[in-house]
């Protein structure tokens, strides 16, 4: 894409072709499970050799009754809690929620967080080798795939239902027949909703944050522009770029997609109060320099291209666009009536990407839902990630807290 001239990396070094986890990288807290049978896909065909990466906290009860499933958003991963370090380029994205005495108290709960199918942090996705090793399982480094080729652009179209089907098989392998709580926001909320509709007998309680029953036209439109940015990058090569050298991947297109997405994730008033029209440092916007808000978006683009894969961004974004819990189920209202879980639905007051009206409809249509909860935050859609204390309060309300905190 010739229109992007600024480097997308945090330094003068060009980013790798893919920023996702690769065979041979440090394992960190990941574990792996391989699905024994190919996974049938909603769009047709099947996906063989599926491997799911996941992390856990706490210990499972003997009867499996204390398992909690945490589902991440688009560019999240299984590293919900814990510091950055080898294998984990960023700290846990809900670090304050999980741990002894936390809302998800690991002295009480067994918390499981998978990397979504189609992702790039250990689960099978476009950057995976078709015959990848088992990742080393318990520690050290993942086994390098010594033969075979990447999925790349041949990776199949996925839906949220496919991703939940893979997570259900993971639960089977972990011996978990029923989740005490399923929690997710944004894309994670879509999958949490699919869990409750597809497997009502396996979902005891449900917390839905900043999500919708079906992707709307405006959400699809914003996402479509991001997909176009990535696919227009001269280094996209139909999704077959993963073995290129540094700077050989579609990092510029991915950076544009991230800049656009990040604007939709934040609130207009917050951006204006933080940055206004101020220039970045001594740069002069009239002479090719940047405004502070442009520098802010450049920073987030630079971070993402070093930790994420453009192919996964495309696959996961298309899965979000296809999200419709009522598809093939007699419509949204009929599908939501299948839910038997105790449910809380919450939205962010300043969210312009998934507005409160969408969560109002969820809360009104799910039989076990209470009134809509509103997260007070100026941070827009990202409020469900930032306002950890308010989310923790919702978790405690839904899951109960024997200590009365």
């Amino acid at each position: 894409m010739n229109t992007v001239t600024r480097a997308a990396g945090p330094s003068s070094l060009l980013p790798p072709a893919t920023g996702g986890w690769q065979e041979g990288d440090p394992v960190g807290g990941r574990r792996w499970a391989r699905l024994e049978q190919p996974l049938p896909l909603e769009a047709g065909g099947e996906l063989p050799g599926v491997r799911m990466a996941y992390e856990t906290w706490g210990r499972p009860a003997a009867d499996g009754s204390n398992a909690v499933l945490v589902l991440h958003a688009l560019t999240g991963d299984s590293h919900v809690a814990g510091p950055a370090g080898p294998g984990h380029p960023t700290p846990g994205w809900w670090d304050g929620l999980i741990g002894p005495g936390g809302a998800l108290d690991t002295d009480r709960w067994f918390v499981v967080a998978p990397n979504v199918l189609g992702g790039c942090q250990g689960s099978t996705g476009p950057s995976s080798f078709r015959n990848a090793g088992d990742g080393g399982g318990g520690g050290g480094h993942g086994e390098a795939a010594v033969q075979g080729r990447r999925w790349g652009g041949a990776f199949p179209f996925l839906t949220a239902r496919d991703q939940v089907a893979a997570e259900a098989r993971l639960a089977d392998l972990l011996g978990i027949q029923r989740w005490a709580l399923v929690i997710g926001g944004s894309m994670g909320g879509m999958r949490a909703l699919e869990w409750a509709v597809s497997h009502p007998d396996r979902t005891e309680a449900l917390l839905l944050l900043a999500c919708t029953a079906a992707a709307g036209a405006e959400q699809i439109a914003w996402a479509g522009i991001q997909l176009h940015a990535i696919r227009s990058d001269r280094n996209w090569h139909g999704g077959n770029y993963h073995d290129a050298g540094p700077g050989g991947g579609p990092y510029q297109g991915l950076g544009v997609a991230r800049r656009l997405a990040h604007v939709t994730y934040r609130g207009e008033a917050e951006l204006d109060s933080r940055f206004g029209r101020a220039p970045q440092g001594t740069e002069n916007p009239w002479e090719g320099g940047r405004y502070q808000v442009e520098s802010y978006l450049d920073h987030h683009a630079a971070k993402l291209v070093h930790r994420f894969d453009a192919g996964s961004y495309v696959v996961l974004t298309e899965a979000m666009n296809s999200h419709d819990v009522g598809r093939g189920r007699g419509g949204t209202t009929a599908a939501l009536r299948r839910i038997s879980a105790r449910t809380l639905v919450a939205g962010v007051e300043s969210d312009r990407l998934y507005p409160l009206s969408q969560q109002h409809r969820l809360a009104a249509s799910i039989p076990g839902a209470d009134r809509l909860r509103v997260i007070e935050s100026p941070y827009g859609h990202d409020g469900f990630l930032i306002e950890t204390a308010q989310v923790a309060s919702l978790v405690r309300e839904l899951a109960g807290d024997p200590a009365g905190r």
Side-chain angles (χ1 to χ4, degrees):
M1 297 182 64
N2 296 326
T3 57
V4 180
T5 57
R6 289 192 288 269
S11 69
S12 60
L13 297 177
L14 291 171
T18 175
W21 184 90
Q22 296 291 286
E23 300 290 337
D25 287 349
V27 167
R30 292 176 185 82
R31 303 180 183 184
W32 276 269
R34 183 177 291 279
L35 308 190
E36 295 181 357
Q37 300 296 324
L39 184 74
L41 301 178
E42 190 180 2
E46 57 186 21
L47 182 61
V50 172
R51 185 179 65 167
M52 296 292 290
Y54 65 99
E55 294 183 52
T56 67
W57 298 263
R59 294 185 177 183
D63 61 359
S65 62
N66 68 334
V68 173
L69 180 63
V70 178
L71 301 174
H72 67 76
L74 172 60
T75 62
D77 52 39
S78 63
H79 196 53
V80 184
H88 300 297
T90 56
W93 47 271
W94 255 351
D95 197 45
L97 210 63
I98 298 174
L104 291 175
D105 189 343
T106 49
D107 292 331
R108 178 187 179 194
W109 300 111
F110 176 57
V111 182
V112 180
N115 181 217
V116 67
L117 180 66
C120 61
Q121 289 296 331
S123 291
T124 297
S127 62
S128 302
F129 287 95
R130 296 196 189 202
N131 62 343
D134 67 0
H141 290 69
E143 294 182 10
V146 295
Q147 53 185 316
R149 55 195 175 91
R150 311 264 191 176
W151 275 104
F155 195 82
F157 185 92
L158 296 180
T159 68
R161 293 184 198 177
D162 298 327
Q163 294 164 334
V164 167
E167 291 162 2
R169 289 205 192 175
L170 171 63
D172 293 341
L173 292 171
L174 295 176
I176 298 169
Q177 298 303 310
R178 183 176 173 87
W179 297 105
L181 171 63
V182 178
I183 175 174
S186 193
M187 185 186 79
M190 295 177 181
R191 294 181 0 253
L193 187 60
E194 277 290 345
W195 257 102
V197 173
S198 298
H199 304 283
D201 58 328
R202 302 187 71 171
T203 310
E204 181 176 337
L206 179 67
L207 178 54
L208 302 174
L209 301 167
C211 65
T212 180
E218 186 174 37
Q219 289 148 356
I220 294 172
W222 286 124
I225 298 169
Q226 296 167 50
L227 294 172
H228 183 74
I230 294 172
R231 288 172 170 149
S232 296
D233 191 303
R234 64 183 181 182
N235 290 331
W236 172 242
H237 299 305
N240 300 308
Y241 58 85
H242 293 95
D243 293 314
Y251 71 93
Q252 295 202 56
L254 179 58
V256 172
R258 181 60 168 183
R259 289 173 175 89
L260 176 59
H262 201 76
V263 173
T264 70
Y265 296 158
R266 309 301 285 221
E268 182 273 335
E270 182 231 350
L271 291 177
D272 198 54
S273 65
R274 285 181 66 183
F275 304 113
R277 296 183 46 79
Q280 174 62 22
T282 59
E283 296 182 31
N284 185 347
W286 288 25
E287 297 177 354
R290 298 171 298 173
Y291 291 96
Q292 282 185 5
V293 70
E294 292 180 285
S295 174
Y296 169 73
L297 296 177
D298 288 346
H299 170 73
H300 282 280
K303 288 174 61 178
L304 189 74
V305 300
H306 280 80
R307 70 170 181 85
F308 212 77
D309 178 62
S312 281
Y313 198 99
V314 167
V315 166
L316 300 183
T317 299
E318 288 185 327
M320 293 175 70
N321 281 353
S322 74
H323 170 62
D324 180 358
V325 76
R327 183 176 55 249
R329 294 166 171 161
T332 298
T333 301
L336 295 176
R337 285 176 180 162
R338 296 187 183 192
I339 298 175
S340 58
R342 292 180 293 106
T343 303
L344 284 183
V345 180
V348 183
E349 61 179 354
S350 56
D351 192 341
R352 52 184 173 176
L353 181 59
Y354 290 88
L356 285 175
S357 59
Q358 295 182 332
Q359 291 91 58
H360 270 294
R361 287 194 287 271
L362 282 173
S365 301
I366 296 174
D370 198 352
R371 59 180 173 80
L372 176 68
R373 305 305 202 273
V374 178
I375 296 173
E376 298 179 357
S377 175
Y379 299 116
H381 185 62
D382 274 355
F384 84 92
L385 294 169
I386 296 171
E387 306 292 356
T388 309
Q390 293 184 59
V391 174
S393 179
L394 295 172
V395 171
R396 289 192 169 106
E397 179 183 353
L398 186 58
D401 188 344
R405 288 181 290 266

